[in-house]
Amino acid sequence: MHTKFHTYLFVFFSFIVSLVATNAFAAEVRDIRVAQQEGVTRLVFELSDASEHRIFPLSNPERIVLDVSNVDLSTSVVNGLSALSSDVLMRVRYAKRDNGVRFVLDLAQKAKAKSTVLAANGTYGPRILVELEYGVSKPVTVVKSLANLSKEKRDIVIAIDPGHGGKDPGALGQYRVREKDIVLSISKELASRINAVDGFKAVLTRSTDTYLQLRDRSRVAREANADLMISVHADAFTKSSARGASVWALSLSGKSSEMGRWLAQQENSADLVGGISLDDKDQLLAEVLLDMSMNSTIQMSLNIGESVLGEMKNVAVLHKGSVQQAGFVVLKSPDIPSILIETGFVSNKTEAKNLSSRTYRVKLAASISKGVIEYFTKNAPDGTLVAWKQKKHSDYVYTVSKGDTLSEIARRNQVSLPILRQANNLNNDVIWIGQKLVIPAG
């Protein structure tokens, strides 16, 4: 009995050890890369350790099945599978199967598939190369690498600069309003609203009552790789009747309104509070003038400013109905579009009262945010999540191949048959080889 008990115990622990070892040493699919060249699409499945696999085709609809033994998927691969595609590869699906993973490659047309095992080297782990030959000549184009997907889908970065701060209170107005407090409150609300939109990220040059030199503000924006810098201000004037919010961009010509010259003098003197002279600004201006890209940066600033101004007019009284230009030092970043927003005059009784109200500040921040989001949604920089989503959800054209039916094309692309007919002005389901069909975005 004693010997039998030990035998059972040994078998039980052997089973547990075997089970743990199986799970502990399962390989991981770290990345999948896709490229196409001269009628061949290649998929590289990079693993953390060598694993056995098998590959076979299925028809109606055309697809290739790849079974990989004893593997798991990394989170980046799971999240990015939907981004993999080429001329012949419509999508990649997966399902866990036994102790491994089954990949299903949905094809747009029939293709011959073969696989090759590539050994690990100094750069990559073991790899499974799958080649799909479909006889259409295309130039070399790398389509996607899941390991780089997060980098490709970067956020649009908006740097928000609350003016003044710390020992520099900025403009002082009625109701004991201090510019540095007003603009910090608006900037924080603006940042919160921008961060709430998928694909956008806000960076504050200051989030507390601290003092920053003007050029340090631009440095924060540049280090964050900002797509836009917004400098938020309020002001006071010698006449209490002066009022109205405004949006400003940089002027290199030296031409600006009398108000523009006065505001620039006021804002640029902020560095003097800290004992810093701006007498050396000629060197910076010379560098800016030599950089021809500054012209396009200013034009983009003007365009963004118009979008913001178009929304602000629904909340605030405007000083001017168009974007103004002046020589603000804080806007002199040759590589970053920049706008300066004057939220109003705290020397004006009505505007001081408005800016003292949190409700008004929230509405104003919301209007600025809306203008920024609308501009960048229509003009998303390449490589951003916003641009990627627009491309992913845009219509594309499919070429009908031998054996295709309209209903099968609709099913594969997850679009209803009536919508597919309507998008292509079809009165029936008759299609022909080589016909171009618009597949509407889902």
Side-chain angles (χ1 to χ4, degrees), residues 110-416:
K110 189 177 181 64
K112 180 181 178 182
K114 64 179 181 179
S115 65
T116 307
V117 175
L118 305 176
N121 56 31
T123 304
Y124 302 108
R127 289 147 292 159
I128 300 172
L129 170 65
V130 175
E131 295 181 286
L132 306 173
E133 298 180 3
Y134 53 102
V136 178
S137 296
K138 285 286 180 182
V140 178
T141 305
V142 176
V143 180
K144 198 70 66 178
S145 170
L146 296 184
N148 296 326
L149 197 57
S150 60
K151 296 179 182 178
E152 293 177 24
K153 299 193 301 182
R154 70 172 182 85
D155 290 332
I156 294 172
V157 179
I158 310 298
I160 303 171
D161 173 40
H164 307 278
K167 55 190 173 184
D168 176 13
L172 304 176
Q174 300 194 40
Y175 304 105
R176 296 184 178 179
V177 169
R178 298 187 302 181
E179 180 182 3
K180 68 174 184 177
D181 301 326
I182 294 297
V183 298
L184 180 59
S185 174
I186 294 173
S187 296
K188 284 183 173 181
E189 181 65 29
L190 176 59
S192 176
R193 288 179 175 270
I194 287 175
N195 283 328
V197 180
D198 195 28
F200 285 82
K201 177 184 177 183
V203 176
L204 287 163
T205 59
R206 70 177 181 96
S207 57
T208 58
D209 185 18
T210 53
Y211 172 76
L212 282 178
Q213 295 179 17
L214 294 179
R215 289 179 178 84
D216 284 340
R217 298 171 188 269
S218 298
R219 178 183 53 77
V220 172
R222 185 169 290 106
E223 289 177 353
N225 294 316
D227 296 279
L228 171 67
M229 181 173 178
I230 304 175
S231 193
V232 184
H233 289 262
D235 227 309
F237 195 56
T238 53
K239 296 180 179 179
S240 61
S241 58
R243 66 180 303 189
S246 54
V247 178
W248 298 79
L250 180 64
S251 170
L252 292 182
S253 65
K255 296 177 181 179
S256 64
S257 65
E258 184 63 32
M259 178 62 77
R261 286 191 290 271
W262 184 83
L263 284 174
Q265 183 180 8
Q266 296 295 107
E267 304 301 357
N268 293 350
S269 66
D271 267 354
L272 298 177
V273 176
I276 305 299
S277 172
L278 295 182
D279 292 339
D280 63 343
K281 64 178 178 293
D282 290 343
Q283 180 180 354
L284 174 66
L285 187 56
E287 293 173 357
V288 170
L289 289 169
L290 289 173
D291 190 341
M292 297 303 293
S293 67
M294 192 66 180
N295 291 325
S296 61
T297 301
I298 291 177
Q299 186 57 55
M300 186 174 174
S301 302
L302 290 168
N303 294 339
I304 296 170
E306 290 293 347
S307 180
V308 170
L309 201 63
E311 296 298 329
M312 286 179 63
K313 70 181 181 182
N314 298 320
V315 177
V317 173
L318 298 183
H319 183 71
K320 292 286 187 179
S322 60
V323 179
Q324 304 298 292
Q325 291 181 263
F328 293 106
V329 171
V330 76
L331 301 182
K332 292 178 180 178
S333 298
D335 52 342
I336 304 175
S338 306
I339 59 175
L340 185 145
I341 298 175
E342 291 286 355
T343 56
F345 286 84
V346 295
S347 52
N348 180 278
K349 186 175 181 180
T350 301
E351 293 195 343
K353 183 177 180 180
N354 286 340
L355 291 169
S356 297
S357 165
R358 171 164 173 76
T359 301
Y360 180 82
R361 294 197 300 267
V362 167
K363 288 181 179 179
L364 193 59
S367 68
I368 298 170
S369 171
K370 187 175 180 182
V372 171
I373 299 300
E374 284 184 352
Y375 175 85
F376 279 105
T377 298
K378 294 176 182 177
N379 304 275
D382 291 339
T384 61
L385 178 62
V386 176
W388 180 79
K389 281 185 173 181
Q390 290 172 346
K391 183 177 180 181
K392 181 180 179 184
H393 295 295
S394 61
D395 297 349
Y396 72 94
V397 176
Y398 172 72
T399 304
V400 177
S401 301
K402 182 178 179 180
D404 278 339
T405 65
L406 194 66
S407 60
E408 181 57 32
I409 293 172
R411 187 193 67 78
R412 287 202 306 259
N413 291 280
Q414 299 179 344
V415 60
S416 71

Side-chain angles (χ1 to χ4, degrees), residues 3 48 52 142 195 434:
T3 302
S48 61
E52 294 184 354
V142 176
N195 283 328

Side-chain angles (χ1 to χ4, degrees), residues 12-48:
F12 173 74
F13 277 110
S14 296
F15 172 75
I16 294 297
V17 170
S18 176
L19 184 63
V20 171
T22 299
N23 291 332
F25 293 100
E28 182 181 64
V29 180
R30 292 175 171 173
D31 188 23
I32 304 175
R33 296 182 288 277
V34 180
Q36 60 185 34
Q37 179 183 20
E38 298 180 352
V40 179
T41 286
R42 296 181 174 87
L43 294 93
V44 178
F45 295 77
E46 184 179 347
L47 312 176
S48 61

